[in-house]
Amino acid sequence: MIEAFVNDTLRNATPIVLAACGGLVTRLSGWLNIGLEGMILLSAFSGVVVSSATSSVVAGTLAAIATSIAVSLLIFVMVRYMRANLYITGIATNLLSGGLTVMLADLWFRSKGTVVFPEAPRPAVSSLDFLGFLNNLNFFDYLAIASPLLLLFVLRETSFGLKLIACGIDEESAYYSGVNVNRVRLVSFIIAGVFSGLAGASLSLPLGLFVANMSGGRGWIALVAVIMGRDRPFLIGFSALMLGFVTELSIFLQVSTQISPKLLLTIPYFVSFLIVAIFPDRRAMLEGKKHE
């Protein structure tokens, strides 16, 4: 039972870890992308639609990534060239994605709730009985486990990582040191799009269906993990795992107790609210003032 609970926790944490890694990259650049929720939702929709149409998990994953990158670039263009407020643009993206996916689902599949794709292939799962809680995981789950390590390597061992951090610390000094700040931030938004696209694909492709508001606040929870992680990939991964545990706990309590399911579903969001209240993101507040 414990192994099954840990296994489910890892699966619940997968989209949070992936999205949080993308959020961290943009945060380090000095422009935190808070449109993760909308990017996850739109990529989950496009991923399963393309996967069903092409009978290919790879094609569905690539479609999810492409969709998320396009949305992330749209946010970047609006902030950089149209002088839009970074955070208002992100919130607008999140709100738009909810209505857009419902509209497209109704227009194409005549359903505003759950759209099932019976012919959509599922990602293969591992058969590693000797590893216990790491058994029955798919590609997205293992990628989420490896992502903090990969991100740590990029930040510490590559010139791009150093430039990224420099832009976040002091963009003016970075500029006069020869760093193309706009290019670095553009790449950071593309990377965030890749991670958020993978997060969206990890939600819809294993199930072969799409549900309205399928992201379920995971983009917001990922931002909480970014705040908790204090710009450290491993700490962000651990924070996302902890929030995944809280999510799995709320599901477990729905089955094992008589407490109202609607009340239990609020546990992850309540915990996230407490974390944000106790550990405010002062850097994000300063960035918001810059873009007003």
Side-chain angles (χ1 to χ4, degrees):
M1 180 178 178
I2 295 177
E3 285 187 1
F5 186 84
V6 173
N7 194 268
D8 290 339
T9 297
L10 289 173
R11 284 198 291 264
N12 274 316
T14 291
I16 301 175
V17 173
L18 291 171
C21 287
L24 171 62
V25 175
T26 60
R27 173 184 164 90
L28 290 174
S29 76
W31 285 8
L32 175 62
N33 184 352
I34 67 169
L36 301 178
E37 177 78 5
M39 292 158 61
I40 293 173
L41 186 58
L42 287 167
S43 60
F45 179 78
S46 65
V48 72
V49 170
V50 172
S51 176
S52 177
T54 61
S55 298
S56 171
V57 173
V58 175
T61 302
L62 292 177
I65 292 173
T67 300
S68 185
I69 289 176
V71 176
S72 189
L73 288 177
L74 178 62
I75 295 173
F76 177 83
V77 169
M78 292 185 67
V79 174
R80 173 64 182 86
Y81 297 104
M82 300 182 183
R83 304 298 181 184
N85 180 279
L86 177 62
Y87 297 103
I88 292 177
T89 303
I91 292 172
T93 301
N94 295 335
L95 295 175
L96 175 64
S97 64
L100 182 60
T101 50
V102 171
M103 183 193 74
L104 292 176
D106 182 44
L107 183 64
W108 293 345
F109 308 107
R110 303 302 179 191
S111 173
K112 294 183 179 180
T114 302
V115 182
V116 180
F117 299 87
E119 298 181 357
R122 308 293 194 275
V125 296
S126 62
S127 181
L128 305 173
D129 296 332
F130 61 93
L131 289 180
F133 63 87
L134 289 178
N135 191 27
N136 294 323
L137 299 179
N138 60 41
F139 163 77
F140 300 107
D141 301 319
Y142 291 117
L143 184 60
I145 295 172
S147 290
L149 180 61
L150 175 63
L151 204 54
L152 182 65
F153 172 80
V154 171
L155 294 177
R156 290 189 176 183
E157 303 297 334
T158 67
S159 60
F160 172 77
L162 297 176
K163 291 177 182 178
L164 183 73
I165 295 171
C167 291
I169 294 175
D170 189 337
E171 64 178 274
E172 187 174 351
S173 297
Y175 174 79
Y176 285 114
S177 298
V179 176
N180 190 326
V181 177
N182 288 329
R183 182 182 299 171
V184 170
R185 285 176 173 163
L186 174 64
V187 174
S188 75
F189 271 65
I190 293 174
I191 294 174
V194 172
F195 276 113
S196 296
L198 290 168
S202 73
L203 288 175
S204 60
L205 295 189
L207 300 176
L209 57 80
F210 178 80
V211 182
N213 194 32
M214 192 173 197
S215 51
R218 289 174 177 85
W220 296 112
I221 295 175
L223 290 173
V224 174
V226 172
I227 295 171
M228 290 175 62
R230 303 299 184 187
D231 300 344
R232 299 175 182 176
F234 275 129
L235 189 54
I236 285 176
F238 176 78
S239 302
L241 184 63
M242 188 187 73
L243 292 168
F245 167 78
V246 173
T247 302
E248 176 60 25
L249 179 63
S250 70
I251 296 172
F252 175 77
L253 291 176
Q254 291 178 57
V255 178
S256 59
T257 67
Q258 299 299 318
I259 303 174
S260 170
K262 292 182 178 179
L263 179 62
L264 293 173
L265 284 173
T266 65
I267 292 177
Y269 308 107
F270 180 70
V271 171
S272 300
F273 172 78
L274 286 179
I275 292 170
V276 173
I278 296 172
F279 305 104
D281 188 353
R282 292 181 175 84
R283 176 191 288 187
M285 290 188 288
L286 291 174
E287 291 169 9
K289 291 180 179 179
K290 291 180 183 179
H291 298 284
E292 288 179 353

